[in-house]
Amino acid sequence: MEILSLADRPDLMQPAIHYFWTCWGSSSNFKFYEDCILHAVQDKSRLPMFYVLWHEGNIVGSYALLTNDIISRQDLMPWLACLYVNEEHRGQGMASQLLQHGLSEAKRLGHPALYLSTDLENFYERKGWLYLADGYNVMGEAIKIYTCPVG
């Protein structure tokens, strides 16, 4: 199992775009994911960055580091977003590995902390993330913001 940056693996670009969109998108926003990811991988030293979890020749998980996760708290960054592990691979510590990789990457880029927004209950708390505040999505709905120092 490997965590791969799409900036380093252009051969995985199209399958990765489809994976992110399938996990997080809707029938009307494929172009959003495609355009975002295609333009993100042009500079390995700055955000945004997209990663996939590669296992036995398949993408089985993902995450991204973004400047903003489409949330009201524009003052915070970077954001860990799009964390996903295929259902059949859950319970094996893969999400924890992706989270740790994200923290390492944020540290490498010189950021003191990483942020995420979620509606999950008790998942990130168990991984050591701390509730920071509520933010608001584009629909005006409150969403919890968590933070974790990078090390």
Side-chain angles (χ1 to χ4, degrees):
M1 175 176 47
E2 291 180 85
I3 299 172
L4 306 172
S5 168
L6 292 183
D8 295 329
R9 292 295 303 268
D11 58 309
L12 295 178
M13 188 65 58
Q14 289 306 315
I17 290 168
H18 185 74
Y19 185 86
F20 277 88
W21 173 70
T22 300
C23 295
W24 297 103
S26 69
S27 61
S28 63
N29 68 1
F30 178 81
K31 283 295 193 187
F32 172 85
Y33 283 87
E34 181 180 49
D35 196 47
C36 183
I37 294 170
L38 285 174
H39 288 93
V41 298
Q42 299 188 19
D43 185 346
K44 297 179 195 179
S45 65
R46 66 180 181 93
L47 303 175
M49 296 178 169
F50 289 83
Y51 301 86
V52 294
L53 182 60
W54 187 251
H55 180 65
E56 296 180 352
N58 294 295
I59 298 172
V60 300
S62 65
Y63 84 91
L65 293 179
L66 306 174
T67 56
N68 186 273
D69 193 17
I70 313 174
I71 192 165
S72 60
R73 292 298 304 269
Q74 301 281 319
D75 58 313
L76 304 173
M77 75 171 257
W79 292 84
L80 187 131
C82 302
L83 179 70
Y84 194 86
V85 174
N86 291 359
E87 197 167 325
E88 64 271 18
H89 291 92
R90 293 180 186 168
Q92 301 173 39
M94 292 180 181
S96 293
Q97 289 177 338
L98 290 168
L99 286 169
Q100 188 56 51
H101 190 271
L103 290 165
S104 296
E105 287 291 276
K107 182 176 183 176
R108 179 183 66 79
L109 295 168
H111 298 284
L114 193 52
Y115 303 91
L116 62 81
S117 60
T118 186
D119 58 3
L120 290 179
E121 295 288 335
N122 299 316
F123 178 78
Y124 292 102
E125 295 92 336
R126 289 190 322 245
K127 308 290 183 193
W129 290 69
L130 304 172
Y131 171 78
L132 179 67
D134 280 349
Y136 299 91
N137 65 20
V138 295
M139 304 302 289
E141 301 161 331
I143 191 161
K144 293 181 288 189
I145 298 171
Y146 287 84
T147 187
C148 190
V150 298

